[in-house]
């Protein structure tokens, strides 16, 4: 059972997600909060596996709440809900350690699927968020690109191919299907890439893929 907490200052958003979570046999709603400060307390008290986190909230925003929760002992993974007007906030949430980014106009079932993906150990970024926000994040740091390309020289061609697909927003299951390998093998590749590149999580791998020009830019060679 995946323990889920909802954090959003709009009760209607929480109510809609609550309804579909309660209908899911593999998900359990363990708490709700309307501010970032409440979210930090909720993470400590309810021990959720996944927190679906809004960004713009009173008292403490979702970025600072994410930072405190990730740094704390709860072990909860954060999925940030955003809109395309929240670019700067999303950059901050990347640095704070969020494991996933979704846009608020996604179908509720897609959000639940994202919860399952992150709970299974995959980071997740909605394709639209990946292509717009992470590309901008990488291009804003050109001084890092040479270093990132040098780091990528330590991975094999197959691992580079997997990294390209990660940068395009594919999950382990989708990577397995694209490369005609098992999901277990795809997970092994991801684990190796994380270790070789010294990345904290899958989101950082997406950033590295963009910084290295594997996807998203004129020099990109990634899947469309």
């Amino acid at each position: 059972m995946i323990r889920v907490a909802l954090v959003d200052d709009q009760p209607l958003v929480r109510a809609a997600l609550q309804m579909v979570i309660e209908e899911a046999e593999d998900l359990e709603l363990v708490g709700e909060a309307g501010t970032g400060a409440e979210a930090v307390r909720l993470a400590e008290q309810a021990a959720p596996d996944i927190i679906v986190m809004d960004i713009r909230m009173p008292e403490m925003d979702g970025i600072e709440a994410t930072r405190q929760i990730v740094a704390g002992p709860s072990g909860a993974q954060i999925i940030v809900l955003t809109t395309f007007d929240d670019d700067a906030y999303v950059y901050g949430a990347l640095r704070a350690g969020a494991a996933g980014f979704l846009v608020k106009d996604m179908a509720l079932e897609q959000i639940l699927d994202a919860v399952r993906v992150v709970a299974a150990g995959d980071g997740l970024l909605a394709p639209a968020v990946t292509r717009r926000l992470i590309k901008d994040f990488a291009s804003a740091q050109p001084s890092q690109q040479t270093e990132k390309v040098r780091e990528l020289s330590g991975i094999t061609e197959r691992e580079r191919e997997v990294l390209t697909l990660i940068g395009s927003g594919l999950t382990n299951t989708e990577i397995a299907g694209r490369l005609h390998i098992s999901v277990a093998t795809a997970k092994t590749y991801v684990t190796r890439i994380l270790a070789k590149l010294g990345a904290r999580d899958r989101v950082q791998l997406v950033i590295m893929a963009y910084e290295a020009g594997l996807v998203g830019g004129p020099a990109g060679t990634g899947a469309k």
Side-chain angles (χ1 to χ4, degrees), residues 9-219:
D9 62 342
Q10 298 182 35
L12 288 178
V13 173
R14 298 202 308 269
L17 286 170
Q18 176 186 358
M19 179 180 64
V20 292
I21 288 172
E22 290 178 345
E23 292 176 352
E25 295 183 355
D26 59 336
L27 304 178
E28 177 187 3
L29 182 64
V30 297
E32 299 181 32
T35 71
E38 291 175 358
V40 174
R41 292 192 293 271
L42 181 62
E44 296 173 351
Q45 296 168 1
D49 300 309
I50 303 293
I51 300 175
V52 180
M53 178 87 71
D54 188 23
I55 290 184
R56 295 179 178 176
M57 293 181 291
E59 295 184 28
M60 179 191 295
D61 65 24
I63 297 174
E64 181 58 29
T66 296
R67 183 179 297 111
Q68 292 190 23
I69 292 169
V70 169
S74 74
Q77 296 288 313
I78 312 296
I79 299 176
V80 171
L81 285 178
T82 182
T83 70
F84 277 157
D85 294 329
D86 285 340
D87 289 17
Y89 291 91
V90 174
Y91 301 154
L94 273 170
R95 299 184 185 99
F101 295 86
L102 302 175
V103 290
K104 284 193 171 182
D105 60 358
M106 293 178 68
L108 294 176
E109 285 300 329
Q110 288 180 301
I111 295 176
L112 295 195
D113 287 342
V115 168
R116 297 181 179 103
V117 167
V118 172
D122 282 350
L124 183 78
L125 297 97
V129 175
T130 300
R131 286 169 175 77
R132 174 176 169 173
L133 301 182
I134 310 305
K135 179 180 177 182
D136 290 348
F137 182 88
S139 64
Q141 305 176 72
S143 63
Q144 296 183 10
Q145 291 185 10
T146 300
E147 179 66 24
K148 293 302 179 185
V149 170
R150 184 164 65 249
E151 288 178 1
L152 294 188
S153 65
I155 65 176
T156 67
E157 280 301 313
R158 189 58 152 178
E159 289 165 348
R160 191 182 184 92
E161 189 174 4
V162 172
L163 179 59
T164 299
L165 296 176
I166 293 171
S168 298
L170 274 65
T171 66
N172 288 344
T173 300
E174 291 168 334
I175 290 171
R178 184 72 62 89
L179 300 181
H180 306 291
I181 58 178
S182 69
V183 175
T185 299
K187 289 181 177 180
T188 298
Y189 276 121
V190 173
T191 299
R192 288 177 184 169
I193 296 167
L194 285 166
K196 287 185 176 182
L197 299 184
R200 180 189 63 224
D201 54 29
R202 200 182 189 93
V203 172
Q204 285 195 337
L205 291 182
V206 173
I207 295 170
M208 288 181 178
Y210 272 86
E211 289 176 334
L214 296 182
V215 288

